[in-house]
Amino acid sequence: CTPCESGSHQNIIGQASCLPCIPGTYENDTGSTKCKECSIGQHQDVPGNDTCLNCTAGRYIDGKGAVNCLDCNPGSSENQTGSEACEECSIGQHQDAPGNDTCLDCKAGQYMKRVGAVNCLDCNPGDFQNLTGTESCQKCLKNSFTNISGLSSCYSCQIGEESDPGSTKCTSCDAGEAG
């Protein structure tokens, strides 16, 4: 009789051949009666192997004996291999696709004030944001405005017009005023 090779096992006495380890398991020793489960953060999708593979970046598995790893959900990412979980995107970031190793900063004109966002939100009319990766927008200053959402700067009022901070339009100066 010869011992079972690595990647295989036999737990019944008197058999003519060894059995390959099933997907999700491995055996790195010879003469084994049982294959071992892949560890958390690892998988094996091919039978008869002597090792398991780490989940790639952007993927994870939180249980033993996995055949395949799972993609990180939108709103999260994982930049390490062999992970058991993904990290939620931080405030000021988002990720709209599954299986990614990074989250993306919100663009100028956008913001996000919670973790795990799939998309960023546009700044409202009257607000702007000229920086990326922020959790809030800023109000347009006095004598400036935005009348659409998602802008990275405010428009200046024309001569003879004025506005309060956070305005969506300018108004003509009253009689007895100039600007």
Side-chain angles (χ1 to χ4, degrees), residues 57-82:
R59 306 191 85 201
Y60 75 100
I61 196 68
D62 59 1
K64 291 183 176 182
V67 176
N68 292 301
C69 297
L70 303 172
D71 284 342
C72 292
N73 291 324
S76 68
S77 68
E78 181 51 60
N79 62 3
Q80 302 291 316
T81 61

Side-chain angles (χ1 to χ4, degrees), residues 41 76 128 157 172 175-176:
S76 68
F128 77 103
C157 293
S172 296

Side-chain angles (χ1 to χ4, degrees), residues 40-108:
I40 292 172
Q42 295 187 325
H43 72 104
Q44 182 51 261
D45 59 352
V46 178
N49 265 280
D50 60 358
T51 61
C52 291
L53 306 170
N54 281 337
C55 294
T56 57
R59 306 191 85 201
Y60 75 100
I61 196 68
D62 59 1
K64 291 183 176 182
V67 176
N68 292 301
C69 297
L70 303 172
D71 284 342
C72 292
N73 291 324
S76 68
S77 68
E78 181 51 60
N79 62 3
Q80 302 291 316
T81 61
S83 296
E84 65 178 274
C86 299
E87 298 289 326
E88 286 186 309
C89 294
S90 299
I91 290 171
Q93 294 186 322
H94 72 104
Q95 180 51 260
D96 62 354
N100 273 280
D101 60 357
T102 59
C103 290
L104 306 170
D105 282 346
C106 295
K107 296 186 283 187

Side-chain angles (χ1 to χ4, degrees), residues 113-144:
K113 58 183 169 186
R114 66 174 180 83
V115 297
V118 175
N119 293 301
C120 295
L121 301 173
D122 285 342
C123 295
N124 292 322
D127 295 343
F128 77 103
Q129 182 50 262
N130 60 344
L131 302 174
T132 60
T134 63
E135 66 177 290
S136 63
C137 297
Q138 303 173 53
K139 293 207 173 297
C140 290
L141 300 175
K142 182 175 176 63
N143 297 326
S144 66

Side-chain angles (χ1 to χ4, degrees), residues 3-10 18-21 26-27 29-35 48-49:
C4 292
E5 295 180 9
S6 61
S8 66
H9 73 286
Q10 183 52 263
C18 297
L19 303 171
C21 293
Y26 73 102
E27 183 49 67
D29 292 327
T30 58
S32 295
T33 59
K34 182 179 178 185
C35 296
N49 265 280

